[in-house]
Amino acid sequence: VAHEEGDLNDFRAILGNDIAIKSYREGKLPFPDGTIIARLAWNYVSSEENNKVFGRAQSFVAGSATNLQFMVKDSKKYASTGGWGFAQFNNGKPAAEAVHKTCFACHQPVKDRDFVFTRYAP
Amino acid sequence: VAHEEGDLNDFRAILGNDIAIKSYREGKLPFPDGTIIARLAWNYVSSEENNKVFGRAQSFVAGSATNLQFMVKDSKKYASTGGWGFAQFNNGKPAAEAVHKTCFACHQPVKDRDFVFTRYAP
């Protein structure tokens, strides 16, 4: 779970398949082949109905979905990008190839965590 | 997924069992007996490492867990509180009975949604 302000201003939820969760729990890196990590995101919106209950403006919830992103580990197929295949879907349709070429560069700063930003929060 | 500012200042993720998700998807109310809704929460913390990647302070992630809450539907057992049993756990231990007695009152404003704040965000 995360919130990005700035140009994104979204809420994010990060999900992993069983292989991903097992690696997270064991603290093992790199993630093994077959790992799938999904990142859902929604617009960050104020909730007037929740604010009424709390008696002040403090509540933010998930609005409409923005896009859906995946990381899939296949150390052979995606050898040139740290073993990760990156995908983005907008309204159920794959984003352009040009978009996908931008993914790996931004993940470089977390190379020591196998290019995955999300830490495990039990 | 939600963020509460003010005294709480937390991140929340809301999970449902299969019965809950089916009801959400079908837009059916009230939720049937057997519904379980879980609310996880973590402290809302700034992520310096993510900010470095974005080039500005914009990233907030889940810190340490605060508490865990559940709503369980049993229209007979919990008839006096809208059919919902409420539970809170702090560090793996059940909260005091006094804490649990405060739950239902705050859910009254969303009686028309079967006392559940969380809306379905596909």
Side-chain angles (χ1 to χ4, degrees):
Chain A
V1 185
H3 166 47
E4 293 298 338
E5 294 184 346
D7 293 341
L8 295 165
N9 202 34
D10 66 23
F11 261 130
R12 320 172 138 225
I14 293 87
L15 309 176
N17 66 356
D18 289 349
I19 300 172
I21 300 300
K22 185 168 185 284
S23 290
Y24 267 124
R25 287 187 172 152
E26 294 175 352
K28 275 191 197 165
L29 289 178
F31 288 92
D33 282 5
T35 295
I36 302 176
I37 297 171
R39 193 280 273 141
L40 290 68
W42 300 267
N43 287 307
Y44 184 79
V45 297
S46 172
S47 170
E48 291 310 317
E49 61 184 358
N50 289 3
N51 289 339
K52 277 180 202 161
V53 177
F54 285 112
R56 60 180 171 184
Q58 69 165 59
S59 188
F60 298 89
V61 298
S64 53
T66 60
N67 62 41
L68 188 58
Q69 297 180 332
F70 292 93
M71 288 176 73
V72 178
K73 192 70 176 279
D74 184 327
S75 53
K76 284 179 189 167
K77 189 171 177 184
Y78 305 117
S80 65
T81 49
W84 290 103
F86 295 87
Q88 178 173 315
F89 293 84
N90 304 319
N91 294 315
K93 290 171 195 160
E97 183 60 25
V99 170
H100 290 122
K101 284 186 176 160
T102 67
C103 300
F104 184 58
C106 275
H107 284 255
Q108 292 276 12
V110 285
K111 185 179 179 180
D112 62 345
R113 296 213 308 279
D114 198 20
F115 306 101
V116 175
F117 282 103
T118 301
R119 292 177 183 278
Y120 187 55
Chain B
V1 185
H3 165 48
E4 295 297 338
E5 294 182 347
D7 293 340
L8 295 164
N9 202 33
D10 67 20
F11 261 129
R12 322 174 135 223
I14 294 86
L15 309 176
N17 67 354
D18 289 348
I19 299 171
I21 299 300
K22 186 168 185 284
S23 291
Y24 266 124
R25 288 188 172 151
E26 294 174 353
K28 275 190 197 165
L29 289 177
F31 288 92
D33 281 5
T35 295
I36 302 175
I37 296 170
R39 193 280 273 141
L40 290 68
W42 301 266
N43 288 307
Y44 185 79
V45 298
S46 173
S47 171
E48 292 309 318
E49 61 184 359
N50 289 2
N51 288 339
K52 277 181 202 160
V53 178
F54 284 114
R56 59 181 172 185
Q58 69 164 59
S59 189
F60 298 89
V61 297
S64 54
T66 60
N67 62 41
L68 189 56
Q69 295 180 332
F70 292 94
M71 288 176 71
V72 178
K73 192 70 176 279
D74 184 328
S75 53
K76 285 179 189 166
K77 188 171 179 185
Y78 306 117
S80 66
T81 49
W84 290 104
F86 296 86
Q88 178 174 317
F89 294 83
N90 303 319
N91 294 317
K93 290 171 195 161
E97 184 60 25
V99 170
H100 290 122
K101 284 186 177 162
T102 67
C103 300
F104 184 58
C106 275
H107 284 255
Q108 292 276 12
V110 285
K111 185 179 178 181
D112 63 344
R113 297 214 307 279
D114 197 21
F115 307 101
V116 174
F117 283 103
T118 301
R119 293 176 182 278
Y120 187 55

